[in-house]
Every structure is written in C-alpha cells, then in structure tokens.
Amino acid sequence: MRVFGLATLAALLPVAAVAEEAVVLDEILVSGGLTPIGVSETGRSFTVITNEQLEAQGTRYVADALRQVPGLAVSRTGSFGGLTQIRVRGAEGNQVLVLVDGLEISPAGNGEVDFGSLVVSDIERIEVLRGPQSALFGSNAAAGVISIVTRRGARNDVSFRGDAEGGSDGTAMLGASISGGSETWDGAFSARLRRTDGFNIATGTGDRDGEMDGDRNITLTGRTNWDATDDLSFGANLFFVDRESDFDDQAFFVPGIPTGAVIDSDDVNDATDISVGVFGRYQMLNDALVHQVSFGFTHNTSDSISDGLLSFGTESRRFKAGYQASYAFETGGFEHTLTGLAEFEDEQNDIISISPFGNTINDQSRTLFGVGGEYRVAYGPAALQTSVRNDFNDEFEDALTFSVAGSYLVEASGTRLHGSVGRGVTNPSFFEQFGFSPDFFIGNPDLIPERTFQWDIGVEQSLLDGDLIIDATYFRGKVTDEIVSGFNAAAGLSTSVNADGESPRQGVEVALTAFPIENLAITGSYTYTLAEEGSTNRQEVRRARHLASLDATYTFLDGRATLNGNVAYNGDQRDNDFSTGFFTVQPLVTLDSFVLLSIQGSYAVTPEVDLYARVENATNADYQEVANFETQGVAGFAGVRVRF
C-alpha cells in the first residue's frame, strides 16, 4: 500500500482539496485541537487545501476554493465582492468560525464573515473542520471551523513573490510578498490589490448591460516569530482588509418594478476589517509542558452609502485573552496529551441607521468567560480525542459543550474508520438581539442561544496501491431553538425568533482522489444534505440537497506546463421570495441547478517566472445563487507569477 503525507499528496495533486487524509506520516492539522494534531490521529471530518492547489486552479477568492469541500454550500450575492455566505452541513453562516492565523475575524455585529472580502493572498493552507467544534473554540463554531493559515517566513533566508493579472470586466490584480528570517527570527508580509468594474447584477430592469457593480479590495497579511531563548518564544499576526463594493437595492415601493426585483442603484458598501494578535509560548520539561498566553483584537467597520450619503453603519470590536497549558507524556506505548484552557472575550457593537422614519443609534456590549480541556490518547493505529468546555455568559445562560472523536487504521487493508459526536452552541448576534433598522427589522431581546447536536461516522478506503482513495461519511444531527426570520405583528416589522421544535440535519459526504496515469490527478466530491427549519419542516434556504465537484490536473513538458479543469455542480435550492414584500414572512422560490466549468493553464518560462491563463464559467451558464441577483457570465484572465 502506498503511504502519502499531505506534502506528497500536494505534489502529486496540486489542484484539489484533500479530504479526510488517513494514511499520513508526519503532517499536522493546526486547528484540529487545542494544540495541533496529527491528521491520522483525529476522527473529525476535515479537508485541507494547500497553496499549490490554489495556484494550480488560479483561485482568486477563498469562497471559490471552498466550493470543492464536501459539506459546504456557497452563496454569492451577485458580483465579486458582494455578500458571500458559507454554510457547513446545512447550518447558518454565523455558526461557522473563521480564523486567519488563529485570529477570529468575524464582525461581532452579525457574527458572520462575508467571504466576499476574502481574496487568496499568500495563503499556505486552508483547513476545514466539519461538525460541532464549540468544545474547542466556543460559540461561533457550532457547525465547523474554517482556518486560513498564511505563509511563514523561512529561517536564514529571504524570498520574494509577486504576481499580476488582468482580464474581463476591467479586472486587475497586483500582489507581492516578502519573507525571511535569521537563526532566531522569521517574518512574512504580503499585500494584494484587486479591483474589478464588475457586471450588472440587477434583474428588475431586464437589461444586463445596465450599471456595473464593481469591487476594490486591499488585503494585507503579516506574521512574525521570535525565539527569545530555546524555551521562550513570541509571535504576532496581522490581517487587514479595506474594500469598496458596489451593490444594488431591491424594489419594494417602485412603481412599474416587480416587488423584490433587484434594480440599479448608487449603493456602495465601504468596509474595513483589521485583526491583530500577539502570543507568548514557554516550554518546560524537555518541551513536554507548554504554556501559552495569547491576546487578539478584531475591529470591523461597515458603511452602506446610498447616493453619496450614509444610510447605515456598524462598528464592532472584539477583545480576546487566553491562557492554555498542554502536557504530553507516554505510558506503556500510549501517547497522551492533556490541555487546559481559560479564555476571556469582550464584544462591543455600535449601529447607526438613518432613514425618513427616524435615526437609530445602538451601543451594545457583552462578555464571556470560558474554561475547557482536551484529552488525547493514541496507541498504535487507534486514537481518541475528547474535549469539554463551559462558557459563562453575562447575557445568556451558561453553555456546556463537548466533543468526542476517534480514528482507527487497519493497515493491512488500507481502511480507516473515523467518527465524532459533539454539542455546539451559537449565541444570538447583536443584530438579532437589538435589530439594525427601524424601517425593516427590529431586534428580539428574548432570544436564547441555538443548541446543536451532531454525530458522524465514516470509512476511508485506499485501493490500487494508493492510486484510488475513497472516503464516505454519514452525518446526522439537529438544531434546537434555531434562530429564524419572523414577524413582529405589534410593530409590523420583521424580526428574529427561536423556531419551535427541532431543526434536523443529515447527509452524506463522499470524496475521492485518483491517479489513473502518471502526471494526472483527479479528485471529486459529492454531498447530499437534508436541512429543515423547526416545526415548519421547510427546506432551509440556499442549501442545495445535491452538491458535487470534479477536478483534474495534468502536468507535462517535464513539469513545466500544467492544465487544470474544474467542474462544480449546485443542485436546485430554495430561497426567499420577496415578491410579497419585506414586511411579511416570505414564501420560498426554487432556484435552478447549475454547472460551472473553469479551465486554467500555466507554463514555467524559467524556474522563477510562470505565465498563466484562465477561463471561468467557460460554458457561459446563466444561473442565480441568490434569488433575483445576476451572476457572472464567461470571463477570461491572464497573468504572471515571479519568485526569487
């Protein structure tokens, strides 16, 4: 049986997400526990996407890379830079924790990352954990974790990378990064500018050649590490995004325009996100006992500007401080890791809403204190991981969460069994609690946190001496007290309510990796998801029951040339139908299934210079991911990458 590590798979398979790697020798999953864990020792469902895969595909936005991950649904509102949501296993977008180099980047206001702001910039890897992870990471990880890890500088070296790209819709991109270090220090910094004139996302006018909706994005990342002594080290991280994204309004009181249709309007979202973190680590007892102290601060601002005037603005801040200690030891062939955690979090959110019905200014805050622990044990081919956490909230009831995961490798047959079970919690967001617009939506201070319970079990099989790897996972669970859209009859406005009953979640995730001939790598995934809302039994919106992807890369000319093709299928899905207006509970409309085909080729002119070209939506599919918002047709791009 052929044995692959993640690095080996990345070299052989430079284009596809590697799902549930079982037979791995030395690679780790950074976000797989309170401390990094070997990927063969975790029973959690996970996927790793490497930098080599992102480059081979020419991926521009993180959301596009995530389309290939089993269990994930992507919804983009119109043009690039528009609101983009990621849902894991039928959950809501604010139930997925998003980290960049360990920093939580979601705005405190709605608790949800807009993936329209996340361009691919100097990313080393993306890790995706599926299933409840609140026992490890707290309330925002009830459905999963998406962890983005940027490149780290190499010790005793200096390197530079740069790239430039242009193409359809007036798109231009420039990126540069520098990294390096000395014997005791390393650092890396990257900057990327991407702008596009976009395309017309409005459907209400029936004119695809109307006003263009573009995007301008500046992304900066940085990280540094310093070894003060052999046992004491310090580090710091930075993540910064500044962007302006055009968007169009929906018609609710426009004569001659169907209610709910998207119409051309002079609307811009001006947003800035900054996250900074520092940490210190001290190792004792020959590195068996490790203490770590960390501090993180996230500041998010978002202003909606209509016809040059501010109509809505939000500013949120999150401060985190944590301490954890981890002790690793062995007894009679058993390898143990015991970790304890204490964490403090303070969140604040300010809202300004300006309208003819009156202006609203909200200034809210809340705090949380959490304690938890994790115990891991491995013996030969078997591994067990358990964790528990209790969060003490000043606004809600205290929450106890847990997680248990196990893995067992049958080496003789190349079979790995894996499974997990866990409970998660999601606190109501500031928007849900306190509202954000006196004209359309008011808060509900009586909301209680959502509770998630889910288990999964799967088997991974390696065949044909490792040339074919298939992984299949079944998951099942429920959400209790799900927070859904409702209607406040007294105020005559939309609001949020806790749904009656339980909201079931179940499905199947299948991933395969194949090497049918030399220099050809093929991967695929298929997901079936059944997600229903509370006692209504309505299918949850923007969560297709059937998702699939197929990706292939062929390398030739002694490795200098690469050809990549990627197909993503999104089945029929339901979405809210605003034809009855905004002030009622909306009926549902069905959005048709669609297939997206992307093709990229690259050629290494020299070892330091690559040329590439890419076609997106090569079949010019006409589709919608969000009701009434148009999407991009066929588009072409070309660029150059340099490194030295």
Side-chain angles (χ1 to χ4, degrees):
M1 181 183 66
R2 184 181 299 174
V3 179
F4 292 105
L6 275 176
T8 307
L9 273 171
L12 292 173
L13 178 63
V15 295
V18 181
E20 290 290 357
E21 270 80 33
V23 279
V24 179
L25 294 178
D26 54 7
E27 191 62 45
I28 62 172
L29 194 64
V30 176
S31 58
L34 291 180
T35 60
I37 184 174
V39 294
S40 61
E41 297 178 0
T42 181
R44 306 181 192 280
S45 296
F46 70 91
T47 295
V48 175
I49 306 173
T50 69
N51 169 263
E52 291 83 2
Q53 298 156 12
L54 296 172
E55 284 195 357
Q57 292 178 330
T59 308
R60 298 181 293 161
Y61 289 85
V62 172
D64 294 320
L66 297 177
R67 291 182 189 274
Q68 302 172 65
V69 177
L72 269 61
V74 180
S75 301
R76 177 181 284 128
T77 306
S79 185
F80 293 104
L83 174 64
T84 305
Q85 298 174 293
I86 302 293
R87 296 176 170 88
V88 178
R89 289 183 171 177
E92 286 295 345
N94 67 342
Q95 296 176 335
V96 181
L97 179 69
V98 182
L99 305 172
V100 175
D101 292 329
L103 297 171
E104 182 177 355
I105 65 170
S106 64
N110 62 3
E112 178 178 346
V113 169
D114 176 6
F115 278 80
S117 69
L118 296 185
V119 300
V120 174
S121 178
D122 215 34
I123 292 176
E124 180 65 28
R125 58 197 279 131
I126 302 173
E127 300 178 352
V128 180
L129 294 177
R130 298 183 291 279
Q133 311 297 332
S134 292
L136 296 174
F137 298 100
S139 64
N140 284 87
V145 174
I146 298 173
S147 176
I148 299 171
V149 181
T150 63
R151 284 194 185 98
R152 177 173 174 169
R155 296 286 172 99
N156 297 314
D157 192 17
V158 176
S159 63
F160 172 83
R161 294 171 180 261
D163 54 340
E165 178 181 292
S168 299
D169 303 321
T171 298
M173 183 274 295
L174 290 173
S177 65
I178 186 170
S179 64
S182 64
E183 190 72 30
T184 60
W185 171 87
D186 64 76
F189 180 81
S190 73
R192 176 151 300 201
L193 167 65
R194 165 170 278 281
R195 66 165 305 279
T196 178
D197 294 337
F199 52 91
N200 185 27
I201 67 174
T203 56
T205 60
D207 180 10
R208 291 185 65 98
D209 296 324
E211 177 239 9
M212 300 295 103
D213 298 287
D215 177 58
R216 189 268 300 154
N217 181 300
I218 298 174
T219 296
L220 308 177
T221 65
R223 60 184 301 189
T224 184
N225 299 273
W226 173 52
D227 297 335
T229 69
D230 290 341
D231 300 318
L232 179 64
S233 60
F234 299 93
N237 305 354
L238 166 70
F239 177 72
F240 172 87
V241 176
D242 180 82
R243 62 175 177 139
E244 290 185 0
S245 305
D246 298 333
F247 67 96
D248 284 337
D249 204 355
Q250 289 182 273
F252 292 107
F253 308 103
V254 181
I257 301 295
T259 300
V262 179
I263 56 174
D264 286 331
S265 59
D266 185 13
D267 291 318
V268 177
N269 179 46
D270 188 349
T272 301
D273 306 307
I274 182 169
S275 298
V276 294
V278 295
F279 70 87
R281 181 183 295 112
Y282 182 62
Q283 301 173 165
M284 303 171 58
L285 305 179
N286 294 322
D287 300 341
L289 177 60
V290 180
H291 303 270
Q292 179 164 309
V293 178
S294 61
F295 302 92
F297 178 73
T298 299
H299 183 263
N300 311 88
T301 62
S302 179
D303 293 332
S304 295
I305 302 171
S306 298
D307 297 323
L309 299 175
L310 177 68
S311 61
F312 174 79
T314 179
E315 179 181 3
S316 65
R317 297 165 295 279
R318 178 188 297 108
F319 171 76
K320 273 190 173 183
Y323 164 78
Q324 74 175 41
S326 180
Y327 181 57
F329 59 99
E330 295 186 17
T331 58
F334 289 86
E335 299 178 356
H336 311 266
T337 304
L338 183 62
T339 305
L341 166 74
E343 186 175 80
F344 171 79
E345 178 179 276
D346 178 80
E347 293 183 322
Q348 302 176 29
N349 189 64
D350 305 330
I351 294 176
I352 300 176
S353 180
I354 300 173
S355 76
F357 299 92
N359 300 341
T360 299
I361 300 178
N362 288 333
D363 185 359
Q364 307 292 341
S365 64
R366 62 192 187 196
T367 61
L368 172 152
F369 179 72
V371 293
E374 179 187 54
Y375 171 66
R376 303 201 303 250
V377 59
Y379 182 80
L384 180 68
Q385 183 180 9
T386 63
S387 54
V388 64
R389 174 176 172 134
N390 196 85
D391 287 329
F392 303 91
N393 298 282
D394 67 341
E395 291 285 333
F396 315 106
E397 291 185 1
D398 299 340
L400 180 67
T401 56
F402 73 90
S403 177
V404 179
S407 173
Y408 184 78
L409 174 63
V410 184
E411 296 188 35
S413 62
T415 303
R416 187 174 76 99
L417 306 176
H418 57 84
S420 66
V421 60
R423 174 177 293 160
V425 64
T426 304
N427 291 332
S429 69
F430 281 102
F431 286 1
E432 292 166 337
Q433 269 189 287
F434 305 109
F436 58 84
S437 172
D439 304 349
F440 300 104
F441 185 92
I442 60 174
N444 181 355
D446 297 325
L447 289 172
I448 61 176
E450 301 168 300
R451 292 171 292 152
T452 301
F453 176 81
Q454 190 174 105
W455 58 269
D456 60 48
I457 187 168
V459 57
E460 180 186 78
Q461 182 64 55
S462 178
L463 302 167
L464 303 177
D465 196 28
D467 285 337
L468 176 63
I469 303 173
I470 302 175
D471 184 277
T473 301
Y474 173 75
F475 65 88
R476 187 180 183 92
K478 61 184 179 181
V479 179
T480 306
D481 300 317
E482 182 185 8
I483 298 175
V484 299
S485 297
F487 185 70
N488 186 316
L493 295 173
S494 295
T495 188
S496 293
V497 298
N498 290 108
D500 295 329
E502 298 174 344
S503 301
R505 307 280 189 264
Q506 63 175 312
V508 176
E509 299 163 346
V510 180
L512 68 86
T513 303
F515 308 100
I517 62 174
E518 187 177 359
N519 298 327
L520 175 63
I522 298 175
T523 63
S525 69
Y526 167 76
T527 304
Y528 171 80
T529 304
L530 178 63
E532 296 179 345
E533 178 186 299
S535 59
T536 65
N537 294 324
R538 297 200 323 173
Q539 180 181 337
E540 297 275 19
V541 300
R542 301 177 191 174
R543 273 149 280 199
R545 292 194 178 184
H546 302 279
L547 296 169
S549 69
L550 184 66
D551 193 277
T553 285
Y554 182 65
T555 303
F556 53 104
L557 296 181
D558 296 325
R560 298 181 66 178
T562 299
L563 181 63
N564 169 259
N566 179 270
V567 178
Y569 169 78
N570 197 108
D572 294 347
Q573 59 186 1
R574 310 298 295 277
D575 200 1
N576 292 315
D577 180 4
F578 287 97
S579 62
T580 60
F582 190 85
F583 300 99
T584 63
V585 176
Q586 287 79 33
L588 299 182
V589 62
T590 299
L591 303 180
D592 293 336
S593 63
F594 59 88
V595 175
L596 298 179
L597 170 64
S598 297
I599 302 171
Q600 171 161 301
S602 64
Y603 179 72
V605 181
T606 71
E608 295 79 23
V609 179
D610 293 342
L611 301 178
Y612 65 88
R614 181 179 67 257
V615 178
E616 297 181 355
N617 192 8
T619 62
N620 199 29
D622 186 8
Y623 67 101
Q624 293 183 0
E625 295 183 82
V626 177
N628 295 327
F629 286 84
E630 292 290 359
T631 52
Q632 185 185 48
V634 61
F637 307 90
V640 58
R641 288 189 292 259
V642 298
R643 52 193 173 274
F644 53 85

